[in-house]
């Protein structure tokens, strides 16, 4: 009997199938320290217990993307071990904060299938939920992945493409209970700009850049227990290069966005996202953001801001996404659309 696992192939998925992922993971304070060592994260709410307590929380929650990576990593052995590419995200919501000491697990349901015309692979859509130790959902999102077929001659399944929203509606955002930015301290947060200082359509060059190193991205990917072969095994790609985990690019770009968006404190929804081009060790990541929308919330002093975060390699912000052919420009690594929470007033700069 073969005891090793070669991962699922496209033929192994059926619409409606539910997969419970191994292995549960308890997240501790060390996770935060290592996350902040890997990325230049400086958002105050995720850095300081005292700042978070002043904002109505019991303490500083773990970074929202740390939660995302931990849950995502659980899914890789079952969903994307034999993936050609992780194609996109949609309809994601952070449902409650994750605290040091919480134990997370994940489960996914297959919601769509479509075989590619070449017969060699197909696209699988899954809705993934992250749950804590008392089975409360903390995060949910949809992603779609191109997965190799085990046998190219096997029959194609019925095509089912899920109907996904363009964006999470502002009224469906989950605002942490007791969050209150009424007495928000702008001097400690790092910038004076509040929700009212940002205009829809405004673009922000985050100025700084970070060159990706081989050891750092592999350390990060191991931290999330992500077992995808393309990130570790140099023989798995024809060019002999390890592909940088897309989540590493997301976290680096989010960290860089502090310069200009220091007060976009919590990510509460993932509307959509694409890994536009591959990233490799030696590439220098830079980022820019565009304000797509704004919305009021019922939480005191808290507004929601919808942002497009674009990561590029090797160039300063040019605010260009696509070429004349409609395809992503070759320097674009990431195109991410998300909602964040921000103080609505204070030391406003108009």
């Amino acid at each position: 009997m073969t005891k090793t696992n070669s991962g699922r192939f496209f033929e192994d998925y059926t619409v409606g199938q539910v997969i419970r992922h191994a292995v549960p993971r308890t997240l501790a304070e060390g996770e935060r320290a290592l996350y902040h060592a890997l990325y230049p994260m400086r958002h105050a709410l995720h850095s300081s217990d005292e700042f978070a307590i002043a904002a109505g929380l019991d303490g500083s929650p773990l970074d929202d993307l740390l939660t995302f990576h931990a849950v995502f990593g659980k899914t890789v052995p079952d969903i994307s071990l034999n993936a050609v590419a992780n194609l996109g995200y949609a309809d994601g919501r952070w449902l409650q904060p994750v605290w040091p000491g919480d134990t997370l697990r994940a489960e996914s349901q297959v919601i769509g299938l479509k075989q590619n015309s070449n017969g060699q692979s197909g696209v699988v859509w899954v809705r993934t939920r992250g749950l804590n130790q008392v089975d409360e959902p903390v995060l949910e999102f949809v992603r779609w992945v191109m997965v190799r077929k085990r046998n190219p001659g096997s029959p194609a399944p019925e095509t089912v493409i899920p109907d996904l929203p363009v964006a999470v509606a502002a009224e469906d955002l989950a605002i942490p209970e007791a969050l209150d930015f009424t007495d928000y301290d702008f001097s400690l947060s790092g910038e004076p700009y509040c929700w009212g200082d940002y205009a829809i359509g405004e673009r922000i060059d985050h100025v700084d850049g970070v060159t990706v190193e081989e050891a750092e991205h592999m350390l990060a990917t191991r931290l999330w227990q992500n077992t995808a072969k393309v990130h570790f095994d140099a023989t798995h790609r024809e060019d002999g290069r390890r592909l940088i985990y897309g989540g590493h690019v997301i976290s680096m770009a989010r960290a860089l966005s502090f310069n200009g968006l220091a007060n976009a404190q919590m990510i509460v929804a993932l509307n959509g996202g694409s890994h536009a081009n591959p990233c490799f060790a030696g590439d220098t990541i830079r980022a820019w953001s565009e304000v797509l929308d704004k919305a009021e919330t019922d939480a005191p002093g808290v507004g929601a801001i919808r942002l497009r975060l674009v990561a590029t390699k090797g160039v300063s912000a040019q605010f260009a996404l696509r070429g004349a052919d409609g395809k992503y420009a070759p320097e674009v690594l990431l195109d991410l659309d998300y909602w964040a929470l921000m103080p609505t007033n204070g030391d406003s700069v108009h």
Side-chain angles (χ1 to χ4, degrees):
M1 178 185 294
T2 300
K3 293 184 171 63
T4 53
N5 174 28
S6 59
R8 285 175 167 84
F9 291 84
F10 182 69
E11 301 98 308
D12 299 322
Y13 298 99
T14 57
V15 173
Q17 178 182 11
V18 176
I19 303 168
R20 298 180 76 226
H21 305 293
V23 174
R25 176 77 178 274
T26 300
L27 304 178
E29 278 290 357
E31 199 99 10
R32 186 203 310 271
L34 187 50
Y35 187 78
H36 287 202
L38 287 164
Y39 310 106
M41 301 298 300
R42 289 187 288 159
H43 289 88
L45 200 73
H46 296 300
S47 298
S48 165
D49 281 336
E50 295 305 313
F51 191 95
I53 290 169
L57 303 181
D58 292 334
S60 178
L62 294 176
D63 292 71
D64 311 301
L65 289 176
L66 191 159
T67 298
F68 175 79
H69 297 321
V71 171
F72 183 101
K74 303 293 95 191
T75 73
V76 169
D78 297 311
I79 305 300
S80 48
L81 196 64
N82 293 304
V84 179
N86 188 46
L87 299 176
Y89 311 97
D91 201 22
R93 293 194 305 150
W94 280 257
L95 300 170
Q96 59 177 305
V98 171
W99 311 97
D102 280 353
T103 297
L104 301 187
R105 66 178 182 87
E107 60 184 32
S108 299
Q109 182 174 27
V110 179
I111 61 171
L113 292 171
K114 182 181 183 297
Q115 181 168 302
N116 290 330
S117 58
N118 62 13
Q120 302 293 316
S121 60
V123 179
V124 181
W125 285 262
V126 296
R127 184 180 296 277
T128 294
R129 292 198 310 161
L131 302 107
N132 64 18
Q133 63 275 10
V134 292
D135 284 341
E136 296 170 333
V138 299
L139 170 69
E140 64 180 14
F141 60 91
V142 172
R143 71 167 171 137
W144 50 103
V145 187
M146 188 186 302
V147 181
R148 294 179 177 87
K149 293 187 70 176
R150 179 186 290 106
N151 175 13
S154 62
E158 179 184 357
T159 295
V160 176
I161 300 176
D163 184 17
L164 299 171
V166 174
V168 175
E171 58 267 25
D172 292 333
L173 300 177
I175 311 300
E177 187 176 351
L179 187 67
D180 185 342
F181 283 162
T182 303
D183 296 322
Y184 190 92
D185 192 326
F186 287 84
S187 62
L188 292 181
S189 70
E191 288 180 350
Y193 308 110
C194 69
W195 182 84
D197 295 316
Y198 293 88
I200 295 174
E202 179 180 358
R203 291 181 172 183
I204 303 158
D205 179 359
H206 299 303
V207 179
D208 306 305
V210 175
T211 302
V212 176
E213 302 295 347
E214 200 79 87
E216 289 176 353
H217 92 84
M218 287 193 292
L219 176 64
T221 312
R222 288 192 189 100
L223 179 64
W224 319 127
Q225 298 177 326
N226 182 331
T227 58
K229 299 170 187 176
V230 291
H231 305 316
F232 301 105
D233 185 350
T235 69
H236 199 69
R237 288 174 52 93
E238 291 182 359
D239 59 8
R241 306 175 76 185
R242 299 176 186 89
L243 187 67
I244 303 299
Y245 165 45
H248 193 65
V249 178
I250 293 173
S251 279
M252 194 65 75
R254 162 69 171 163
L256 292 172
S257 75
F258 179 90
N259 192 347
L261 285 168
N263 293 315
Q265 289 288 356
M266 301 186 78
I267 299 177
V268 288
L270 177 58
N271 299 308
S274 298
H275 297 290
N277 288 289
C279 181
F280 299 100
D283 288 345
T284 296
I285 298 175
R286 302 184 188 275
W288 57 269
S289 292
E290 179 182 5
V291 180
L292 298 178
D293 201 359
K294 296 166 64 178
E296 297 179 348
T297 79
D298 293 333
V302 179
I305 185 168
R306 182 180 168 194
L307 298 163
R308 162 176 266 162
L309 175 62
V310 177
T312 61
K313 59 179 177 181
V315 295
S316 59
Q318 298 176 357
F319 305 130
L321 273 175
R322 301 179 186 273
D325 58 2
K327 297 180 179 180
Y328 280 107
E331 66 271 11
V332 175
L333 295 172
L334 172 72
D335 182 9
L336 196 73
D337 178 342
Y338 69 99
W339 282 102
L341 302 181
M342 178 177 281
T344 56
N345 51 50
D347 299 335
S348 182
V349 180
H350 293 287

